[in-house]
C-alpha cells in the first residue's frame, strides 16, 4: 500500500514538474511533503510588501515568485506541491541536505534538553564541537570563536588582524564579497553592494586575478577540470605569467597605498562566490600570502562558501592553493542552514582579543553546537566531500560540452560543487548578457524545476552550488533543463 501511495505521489509531482511543455523528466523522490495550509500567494505578497524592507522585497527573485513550503535533502516543494531540485542550496548554505535526518535528530534531541545558555557556563557540547572542528584544520589553527553569521566572522577576523599585527591597513581583492556590516562594506569590493557613505577606512583593494575577464590569464591558469578558452602567455609546465602580473599589482598597492613596509592582513576567498565563482591563477594566493607575512600581516581565508568539502579535492578551499592561513572564517554550510559561523586561528593570534572584553551572546550555543557536530559527522559518514569531487567534475564537464554549442556561454569554471557559468552576448567581445536575457533563461530553469542563483558584478554568472548530496542523475537533469532553457531562449523550440 505504501509503495502504491509513493508511486501515485511520484506520478503527481512528475506531472507538476512537467507542466511546462517539453520539460525534461525529473528524477524520482519517495519523500511526501505535508499539504500546505497557510496564507495564499496573494496574501503573502501583500504582507511582504507592507512589512518587509524594500531591499528584502527585491529578493523575491523571480517574476513569478516562489513560495517554498518544505524541503528534503536536495528537494524543495512550493505551496502548490510542485517539486524543485535545489541547485543553489539556500545561497550555498544547505551543505548536507534540507532537513537531513541525522541533523534533524540532533536538533530535536538538543531542543528537548537545553535551547540556550552562553559560554560563560560549561556545557560539554561546546568543547566537544570545537575539538571536532579543529581536527579538520591544518597547522596550528586550534582556537575557535563561534558566532552567528559570515559577516560576524569576517568582522571579528578583521579586528584580530589589526590587533595582532598592530597595523590598521588591510588588503582585499576587487570583486570580493565578505559581508555587509558597516566595517565589511569597505572590504566587500563590489559597487553593487555599496551606499554613498564613508566606509573602508584603511582598506585597499588590489586587482582581481581573474583569468577570464581580467587583463591577464588564460587556458593554463585555473585549478579546475575546465579552463577558459582564452589564450595567454602561460605554458602548462612553467610558471604562470598571469600570476606574476597580478602579484606585481599587489606589490604596487603595498608600495604606494600602505604604511611603508607594513600591512595588517589580507582577506581572500578561495574561489570568489558572490563575485561570480572566480578562480585565481594557481600560484597567486601562495605568493600573495608570503608577501603579506613579509610585511608583518596575517593571512585570512574566507571559507564561508568554499569550506566543508564543497570543492571536492580538499576539505577547505585554501588547501588547493598550497597555503595555511593565519585565520580562517566559515559560515553557511557549517550549520546546514542553522545560523552559525566560526573564526579559527592560532593560539598566539587568539590572545590578541584578551586585552578587552569581547562576547557573543548566541555564538556557540548548545543548539548550534549539536547541529554543527551532526553536520561534520554526515559529511564524513556519507562521503560528501568525495561526492563533490565526483559529481562536480561530471557536472563541469557536462557544462563544458554545452558551451561548445552555445555562443552565449562565455565561460564555465569552478571546482567540485562550486560552479559558475558566465553568460555573454558573444565570446569574442565578452559583453555581459543583458539582465532581461539572463532573467528569461533563469525563469525558464525555475519553471522546469531547477533553482539556480546569479552573481558577478554584471549579474551575468549563473551560480550553481547545490546541497552536497546531489547525484549524477540530478546533474544530468540539470544539464537537460539548462539546455532546454537555452534552446528556448535561442528560439530553437
Amino acid at each position: 500500500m505504501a509503495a502504491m501511495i509513493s508511486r501515485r505521489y511520484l506520478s503527481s509531482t512528475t506531472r507538476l514538474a512537467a507542466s511546462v511543455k517539453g520539460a525534461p523528466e525529473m528524477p524520482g523522490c519517495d519523500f511526501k511533503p505535508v499539504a500546505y495550509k497557510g496564507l495564499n500567494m496573494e496574501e503573502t505578497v501583500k504582507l511582504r510588501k507592507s512589512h518587509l524592507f524594500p531591499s528584502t522585497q527585491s529578493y523575491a527573485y523571480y517574476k513569478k515568485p516562489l513560495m517554498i513550503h518544505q524541503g528534503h535533502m536536495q528537494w524543495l516543494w512550493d505551496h502548490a506541491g510542485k517539486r524543485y531540485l535545489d541547485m543553489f542550496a539556500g545561497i550555498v548554505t544547505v551543505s548536507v541536505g534540507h532537513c537531513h535526518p541525522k541533523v534533524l535528530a540532533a536538533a530535536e534531541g538538543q531542543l528537548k534538553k537545553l535551547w540556550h545558555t552562553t559560554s560563560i557556563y560549561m556545557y560539554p557540547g561546546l568543547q566537544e564541537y570545537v575539538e571536532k572542528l579543529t581536527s579538520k584544520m591544518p597547522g596550528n589553527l586550534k582556537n575557535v570563536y563561534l558566532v552567528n553569521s559570515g559577516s560576524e566572522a569576517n568582522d571579528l577576523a578583521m579586528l584580530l588582524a589589526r590587533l595582532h599585527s598592530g597595523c590598521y591597513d588591510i588588503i582585499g581583492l576587487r570583486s570580493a564579497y565578505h559581508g555587509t556590516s558597516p566595517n565589511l562594506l569597505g572590504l566587500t569590493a563590489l559597487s553593487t553592494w555599496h551606499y554613498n557613505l564613508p566606509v573602508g577606512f584603511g582598506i585597499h583593494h588590489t586587482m582581481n586575478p581573474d583569468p577570464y575577464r581580467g587583463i591577464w590569464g588564460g587556458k593554463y591558469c585555473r585549478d579546475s577540470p575546465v579552463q577558459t578558452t582564452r589564450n595567454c602567455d602561460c605554458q602548462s609546465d612553467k610558471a604562470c605569467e598571469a600570476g606574476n602580473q597580478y602579484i606585481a599589482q599587489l606589490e604596487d598597492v603595498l608600495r604606494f597605498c600602505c604604511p611603508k613596509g607594513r600591512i595588517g592582513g589580507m582577506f581572500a576567498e578561495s574561489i570568489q562566490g558572490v563575485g561570480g565563482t572566480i578562480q585565481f591563477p594557481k600560484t597567486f594566493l601562495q605568493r600573495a600570502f608570503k608577501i603579506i607575512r613579509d610585511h608583518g600581516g596575517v593571512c585570512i581565508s574566507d571559507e564561508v562558501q568554499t569550506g566543508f568539502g564543497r570543492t571536492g579535492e580538499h576539505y577547505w578551499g585554501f588547501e588547493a592553493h598550497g597555503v595555511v592561513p593565519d585565520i580562517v572564517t566559515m559560515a553557511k554550510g557549517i550549520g546546514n542552514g542553522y545560523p552559525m559561523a566560526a573564526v579559527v586561528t592560532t593560539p598566539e593570534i587568539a590572545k590578541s582579543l584578551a586585552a578587552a572584553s569581547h562576547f557573543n551572546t548566541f555564538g556557540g550555543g548548545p543548539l548550534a553546537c549539536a547541529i554543527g557536530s551532526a553536520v561534520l559527522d554526515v559529511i564524513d559518514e556519507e562521503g560528501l566531500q568525495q561526492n563533490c569531487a565526483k559529481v562536480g567534475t561530471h557536472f563541469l564537464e557536462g557544462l563544458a560540452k554545452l558551451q561548445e554549442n552555445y555562443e552565449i556561454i562565455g565561460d564555465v569554471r569552478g571546482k567540485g560543487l562550486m560552479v559558475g557559468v558566465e553568460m555573454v552576448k558573444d565570446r569574442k567581445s565578452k559583453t555581459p548578457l543583458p539582465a532581461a536575457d539572463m532573467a528569461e533563461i533563469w525563469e525558464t530553469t525555475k519553471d522546469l524545476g531547477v533553482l539556480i542563483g546569479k552573481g558577478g558584478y554584471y549579474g551575468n554568472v549563473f551560480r550553481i552550488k547545490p546541497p552536497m548530496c546531489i547525484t549524477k542523475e540530478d546533474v544530468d537533469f540539470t544539464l537537460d533543463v539548462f539546455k532546454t532553457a537555452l534552446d528556448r531562449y535561442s528560439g530553437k523550440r
Side-chain angles (χ1 to χ4, degrees):
M1 182 66 179
M4 187 181 297
I5 292 172
S6 178
R7 285 194 298 271
R8 191 182 302 139
Y9 181 72
L10 278 169
S11 176
S12 171
T13 53
T14 300
R15 286 197 302 272
L16 282 165
S19 59
V20 179
K21 186 178 179 182
E25 185 175 350
M26 183 177 284
C29 173
D30 290 325
F31 182 82
K32 183 177 180 179
V34 299
Y36 177 72
K37 297 179 181 179
L39 294 171
N40 63 35
M41 177 66 82
E42 184 178 330
E43 293 170 322
T44 303
V45 171
K46 182 179 178 181
L47 289 172
R48 187 181 182 104
K49 289 181 177 178
S50 298
H51 299 297
L52 292 181
F53 271 43
S55 59
T56 307
Q57 293 174 30
S58 69
Y59 280 90
Y61 240 40
Y62 295 104
K63 292 177 183 177
K64 294 182 287 183
L66 276 179
M67 186 154 70
I68 297 300
H69 163 50
Q70 192 166 356
H72 174 72
M73 300 307 285
Q74 65 267 51
W75 303 105
L76 292 169
W77 284 263
D78 69 11
H79 67 295
K82 181 175 177 178
R83 178 161 57 100
Y84 298 87
L85 177 61
D86 183 7
M87 294 296 283
F88 199 31
I91 314 183
V92 209
T93 299
V94 179
S95 50
V96 301
H98 292 280
C99 299
H100 188 287
K102 180 161 185 166
V103 181
L104 187 60
E108 288 177 338
Q110 186 60 52
L111 279 168
K112 292 175 182 177
K113 291 190 295 184
L114 182 67
W115 288 29
H116 173 73
T117 186
T118 69
S119 55
I120 63 174
Y121 302 116
M122 292 286 184
Y123 50 95
L126 173 60
Q127 284 68 230
E128 291 168 358
Y129 174 63
V130 296
E131 181 182 34
K132 189 181 292 187
L133 180 62
T134 54
S135 73
K136 303 292 185 183
M137 308 301 300
N140 199 31
L141 293 165
K142 298 301 180 187
N143 279 196
V144 181
Y145 198 112
L146 293 171
V147 291
N148 305 290
S149 72
S151 290
E152 281 189 72
N154 283 328
D155 206 288
L156 177 57
M158 188 185 296
L159 176 63
L160 277 170
R162 286 169 165 164
L163 289 172
H164 184 72
S165 67
C167 182
Y168 192 75
D169 290 58
I170 299 289
I171 294 281
L173 294 170
R174 296 175 194 168
S175 196
Y177 177 90
H178 296 289
T180 57
S181 70
N183 281 334
L184 295 175
L185 273 174
L187 185 61
T188 289
L190 289 158
S191 63
T192 47
W193 292 86
H194 288 184
Y195 294 94
N196 186 25
L197 294 170
V199 294
F201 299 111
I203 295 173
H204 314 279
H205 292 104
T206 187
M207 186 180 289
N208 198 41
D210 180 356
Y212 175 69
R213 196 169 279 281
I215 297 176
W216 305 284
K219 61 185 179 181
Y220 294 123
C221 292
R222 294 194 303 228
D223 176 23
S224 173
V226 292
Q227 297 290 341
T228 177
T229 56
R230 174 186 182 186
N231 288 321
C232 70
D233 295 330
C234 305
Q235 296 181 30
S236 58
D237 58 344
K238 294 186 178 180
C240 179
E241 293 300 322
N244 293 340
Q245 297 292 342
Y246 290 117
I247 285 293
Q249 290 295 313
L250 170 62
E251 290 172 331
D252 201 58
V253 170
L254 286 164
R255 186 179 301 116
F256 290 102
C257 301
C258 303
K260 187 171 179 63
R262 298 192 65 194
I263 191 67
M266 177 179 178
F267 276 79
E269 300 163 87
S270 300
I271 299 174
Q272 289 182 335
V274 176
T277 319
I278 296 172
Q279 293 178 276
F280 313 138
K282 295 172 188 174
T283 61
F284 173 81
L285 207 56
Q286 188 177 71
R287 295 167 66 190
F289 277 13
K290 182 181 185 304
I291 290 168
I292 295 300
R293 286 174 175 142
D294 288 345
H295 285 71
V298 299
C299 302
I300 303 112
S301 183
D302 181 334
E303 292 287 323
V304 170
Q305 296 191 31
T306 50
F308 299 93
R310 176 164 291 279
T311 58
E313 187 180 357
H314 301 94
Y315 205 86
W316 306 106
F318 63 75
E319 293 178 283
H321 295 273
V323 299
V324 177
D326 303 298
I327 303 173
V328 181
T329 62
M330 56 194 75
K332 289 188 180 287
I334 190 174
N336 198 46
Y338 186 83
M340 64 181 298
V343 176
V344 184
T345 189
T346 65
E348 182 185 11
I349 293 174
K351 288 178 184 176
S352 303
L353 203 62
S357 296
H358 194 279
F359 185 69
N360 190 295
T361 301
F362 295 103
L367 188 56
C369 291
I371 290 171
S373 182
V375 168
L376 293 177
D377 290 342
V378 170
I379 292 171
D380 289 345
E381 292 166 4
E382 298 186 4
L384 295 185
Q385 179 187 332
Q386 294 74 21
N387 191 61
C388 286
K390 183 178 179 181
V391 176
T393 299
H394 176 69
F395 192 19
L396 285 161
E397 290 172 347
L399 287 166
K401 289 178 182 177
L402 277 182
Q403 183 184 15
E404 295 173 4
N405 298 313
Y406 296 91
E407 177 72 12
I408 61 172
I409 300 180
D411 195 34
V412 173
R413 53 185 178 253
K415 194 172 182 182
L417 288 176
M418 185 86 178
V419 177
V421 182
E422 182 153 354
M423 308 297 290
V424 294
K425 280 188 173 182
D426 65 86
R427 288 184 202 154
K428 185 176 181 180
S429 71
K430 297 184 184 176
T431 301
L433 196 67
D437 299 61
M438 286 290 292
E440 181 181 337
I441 298 168
W442 197 35
E443 196 86 19
T444 302
T445 61
K446 180 260 292 181
D447 292 342
L448 293 170
V450 174
L451 306 181
I452 58 178
K454 286 193 299 184
Y457 175 77
Y458 302 102
N460 69 320
V461 180
F462 287 123
R463 296 172 63 204
I464 308 173
K465 286 93 176 175
M468 299 190 297
C469 59
I470 66 161
T471 66
K472 280 189 174 182
E473 188 180 15
D474 299 329
V475 164
D476 291 340
F477 170 64
T478 301
L479 290 169
D480 286 344
V481 163
F482 193 44
K483 180 180 185 303
T484 303
L486 293 173
D487 284 343
R488 292 184 183 182
Y489 168 79
S490 304
K492 295 178 181 177
R493 290 187 182 177

